[in-house]
Amino acid sequence: MQRDLLAALNGERAARRAAIVVTDLDSGDQRLVRETEFAADPLAGLLEERIRLGKSGPAEVAGRPLFLLVQVPRRHLIVLGAVHISQALAPMAKLADLDMRVIDPRSAFATPERFPGVEVIAEWPQEVLPRIGLDRFTALAVLTHDPRIDDPALAAALAAGCFYIGALGSQKTHAKRLERLRAAGFADSELQNIHAPIGLDIGAVSPAEIAVAILGEIIAALRRKPLRAQAAA
């Protein structure tokens, strides 16, 4: 790879932005396509598909063999609430290659002993989230039932365009939550991005089952693949 191309690709990686290097295998020509350029690129559909899958590989377009080197930032999972569901979710998220952090200002719950191998931050979300940063490669789940903790985190996730935003609670609880977020200035079109009640509807009851439902919903959002029932409708 040309040195200037490699430097540009490294710059995109450092900024947590997706990018693809397209190589024409016949001519050897290479070009870098940044995520902000995908929509206008002649290969837009192919590029978006490869970003969704997060996989490099060969392709053939109009009879020309290409190789697409895909660079996607690591996905982060931010969980608000050091609760039993979070404890069950942590090892599953690791298996799914998600970097998980747990945030909870209640220091009695947010302890490293309860979450081995996971970064635990005993601070309020409005203090810590601006510091660690959210982006469209981040999933955020709020699990505390406490609006003082959940609402600021949801507002930050909506503003950042996180690829998944989920909130624990009944439909009645969520209706009240939406009222508060509307009062804070969010439009209904933005609030539709919140998955609530959180998790796939698999009849989950125990903390571990709810964690499975949440992780399944996150993966579905990540891969942007409609559920079978939705696809068939």
Side-chain angles (χ1 to χ4, degrees):
M1 186 182 300
Q2 298 172 357
R3 185 171 298 179
D4 58 340
L5 203 61
L6 179 59
L9 185 62
N10 287 337
E12 296 305 298
R13 179 185 293 114
R16 280 185 56 79
R17 292 190 292 260
I20 295 180
V21 175
V22 181
T23 301
D24 186 317
L25 296 179
D26 281 344
S27 66
D29 292 342
Q30 291 185 314
R31 62 188 180 93
L32 174 68
V33 188
R34 298 171 174 82
E35 64 175 272
T36 54
E37 302 165 340
F38 287 170
D41 194 273
L43 304 179
L46 177 61
L47 300 179
E48 291 286 357
E49 175 71 5
R50 291 302 175 90
I51 288 295
R52 183 177 68 81
L53 297 175
K55 289 184 177 179
S56 301
E60 184 171 316
V61 177
R64 296 192 69 84
L66 306 175
F67 189 87
L68 278 65
L69 176 63
V70 177
Q71 176 178 281
V72 180
R74 283 191 61 78
R75 272 75 173 206
H76 294 165
L77 170 59
I78 307 295
V79 176
L80 278 294
V83 297
H84 289 135
I85 297 172
S86 309
Q87 287 181 292
L89 181 58
M92 300 181 198
K94 185 176 183 180
L95 289 172
D97 205 25
L98 294 168
D99 291 333
M100 179 170 159
R101 287 172 167 143
V102 176
I103 298 171
D104 196 326
R106 302 168 297 184
S107 55
F109 301 113
T111 64
E113 292 77 13
R114 298 184 68 230
F115 294 91
V118 175
E119 183 178 3
V120 181
I121 306 172
E123 297 182 42
W124 290 92
Q126 52 268 50
E127 297 171 352
V128 66
L129 291 181
R131 187 170 73 243
I132 65 177
L134 302 177
D135 56 33
R136 76 183 193 94
F137 299 100
T138 301
L140 182 137
V142 298
L143 307 177
T144 74
H145 292 295
D146 186 339
R148 297 175 304 164
I149 301 173
D150 291 352
D151 286 9
L154 290 171
L158 289 168
C162 291
F163 77 85
Y164 174 84
I165 305 170
L168 186 69
S170 66
Q171 292 185 352
K172 182 178 179 180
T173 296
H174 187 56
K176 293 180 179 178
R177 176 186 294 134
L178 293 180
E179 288 179 9
R180 296 192 299 271
L181 291 171
R182 286 192 191 97
F186 288 98
D188 285 346
S189 58
E190 297 172 287
L191 299 178
Q192 290 175 358
N193 293 322
I194 301 174
H195 296 259
I198 195 170
L200 297 177
D201 185 8
I202 58 173
V205 176
S206 70
E209 291 171 350
I210 296 171
V212 169
I214 293 172
L215 185 59
E217 194 169 54
I218 291 172
I219 292 173
L222 173 63
R223 301 306 181 194
R224 300 174 190 165
K225 184 177 182 180
L227 297 176
R228 290 188 181 93
Q230 293 173 335

